Amino acid sequence: MICHAVIPLKPLARAKSRLSDLLTPEERQDLVRSMFLRVLGTLVALRSSLLAEVWVLTRDPEVQDLATLHGAPIIHDQAEDLNAALAQARATLEDRGAPAMLVLPADVPLLSAADVATMLELLAQTDVVLVPDRHGQGTNALALHLPCRLPFRFGSDSALQHQAAAAALGLRCTILTSPTLGLDVDDAASLAAYRGVGFGV
Ligand SMILES: Nc1nc2c(ncn2[C@@H]2O[C@H](COP(=O)(O)OP(=O)(O)OP(=O)(O)O)[C@@H](O)[C@H]2O)c(=O)[nH]1
Ligand SMILES: C=C(OP(=O)(O)O)C(=O)O
């Protein structure tokens, strides 16, 4: 399954606001930048094998420069929020005839090549693959065949929201739990877990 990965990233200066009590603005930006580069590095290493392309969805000029340094094309985020930005990115991929889309946020730094391979293996047998966060509530990754009408429902309880939206469209949704991809760093506990494995500011 040749797939296009999309990494959405909001402006660094606004990222990880939930960590503002713990980290200074500079520490937050360093954390987000380092996590993004880990995710980007993992994915660009899979181009020409599992992935046809790795796109970075952002409006932040620094993030665009980092993506370009890694040979990743930009989708300039012109939307109001994450779900609208992902819909914009999906339209771009569909216009290019991409057969599948893999959404991987920039805050899942333990992402492994095996995670990507497993998601794409599962996608060959289903309509949607969803990786929930470690609590089973958020959505840490989503793989779709294109074209696809599934609405993006990132936000609170998004794992259930995406499953319900898939069911409403008659789409089969396969859940993949992963100890690596299941960790998104967005609060004190997940930051401690990330630091516990030897990373993170
Ligand atoms: N391009 C783009 N990416 C976004 C947008 N909103 C969130 N993201 C990214 O989507 C991923 C998951 O979002 P969150 O977990 O909410 O991350 P966050 O917004 O930095 O965290 P908080 O500010 O604490 O809510 C992260 O990589 C964000 O940078 C958006 O409007 N546009
Ligand atoms: C946007 C999401 O991430 P978080 O829950 O970390 O905000 C989500 O899981 O839908």
Side-chain angles (χ1 to χ4, degrees):
M1 167 73 60
I2 287 296
C3 184
H4 289 241
V6 176
I7 309 172
L9 184 52
K10 69 168 41 166
L12 292 175
R14 287 180 32 225
K16 294 299 150 197
S17 58
R18 282 170 283 178
L19 291 173
S20 54
D21 292 346
L22 270 179
L23 302 177
T24 65
E26 294 74 23
E27 288 171 332
R28 282 205 309 272
Q29 292 191 39
D30 289 346
L31 171 67
V32 172
R33 191 183 295 107
S34 66
M35 295 195 297
F36 164 65
L37 289 173
R38 287 181 63 84
V39 172
L40 182 63
T42 300
L43 294 176
V44 294
L46 297 172
R47 274 186 308 208
S48 77
S49 60
L50 294 176
L51 298 175
E53 193 50 274
V54 180
W55 301 79
V56 177
L57 171 62
T58 189
R59 67 183 65 202
D60 185 323
E62 180 193 345
V63 175
Q64 292 174 354
D65 289 347
L66 290 171
T68 303
L69 273 176
H70 286 75
I74 306 295
I75 297 173
H76 189 92
D77 176 357
Q78 296 169 312
E80 293 303 309
D81 60 28
L82 174 57
N83 293 314
L86 288 171
Q88 175 199 333
R90 177 167 57 189
T92 299
L93 296 188
E94 289 174 345
D95 288 349
R96 298 172 68 98
M101 176 183 188
L102 174 58
V103 177
L104 282 161
D107 60 1
V108 288
L110 301 185
L111 168 73
S112 68
D115 287 321
V116 177
T118 303
M119 286 193 76
L120 297 184
E121 283 163 20
L122 290 171
L123 187 63
Q125 312 296 331
T126 192
D127 299 313
V128 178
V129 179
L130 186 153
V131 179
D133 69 13
R134 57 191 188 141
H135 305 299
Q137 292 162 348
T139 301
N140 281 9
L142 206 54
L144 311 167
H145 295 277
L146 297 181
C148 182
R149 292 184 297 119
L150 183 75
F152 293 109
R153 293 275 189 268
F154 285 88
S156 62
D157 288 331
S158 65
L160 286 177
Q161 295 284 334
H162 282 128
Q163 291 176 72
L169 292 171
L171 297 174
R172 297 163 300 167
C173 182
T174 299
I175 303 298
L176 170 66
T177 56
S178 164
T180 43
L181 183 43
L183 179 73
D184 60 315
V185 179
D186 56 18
D187 60 15
S190 53
L191 179 59
Y194 182 42
R195 283 170 164 168
V197 295
F199 301 104
V201 290

